[in-house]
Amino acid sequence: MTSIRIRKDVLDTDDPCAVAEKLRSIRLAIVAGGQAERVRFGEEEVEYSRANIALLEREIAKFEDACILKNGGRVKRRRYARRIRFG
């Protein structure tokens, strides 16, 4: 049993469906601007976020695949090789 801490929640990785659900909710909060910080310097205002969306997407996909496998399903391929045809 391995547990991970996501914000204030401690989740067990033996339940990948719960971890994927939590990560999807975090992605939604980031996209909606919930994780953004605004800094104002006089008249200028800057908004930034420290989130790495690409890494978050990979982790969500990893836990979604583990959830599918745990429930007896088959994982779909996400990437395909490109082929070059002549003729």
Side-chain angles (χ1 to χ4, degrees):
M1 173 180 133
T2 304
S3 61
I4 58 173
R5 184 180 188 96
I6 300 176
R7 294 190 179 162
K8 295 179 182 177
D9 299 327
V10 177
L11 300 170
D12 183 11
T13 56
D14 289 339
D15 184 10
C17 301
V19 177
E21 183 65 33
K22 182 66 176 177
L23 290 175
R24 282 193 296 268
S25 70
I26 290 172
R27 176 184 58 197
L28 183 61
I30 291 169
V31 171
Q35 297 294 313
E37 297 291 331
R38 290 185 184 177
V39 179
R40 178 172 284 193
F41 300 101
E43 295 291 319
E44 307 230 356
E45 185 174 314
V46 177
E47 183 172 299
Y48 67 94
S49 174
R50 296 185 310 177
N52 185 340
I53 297 294
L55 181 59
L56 181 58
E57 292 288 341
R58 283 197 306 263
E59 288 299 306
I60 291 170
K62 181 177 81 173
F63 282 104
E64 284 176 343
D65 289 349
C67 178
I68 291 169
L69 290 173
K70 184 177 180 181
N71 292 323
R74 288 185 63 198
V75 177
K76 294 181 186 177
R77 288 178 52 186
R78 287 189 169 80
R79 300 181 72 180
Y80 299 94
R82 293 185 179 221
R83 296 181 183 164
I84 299 174
R85 293 186 183 194
F86 296 99

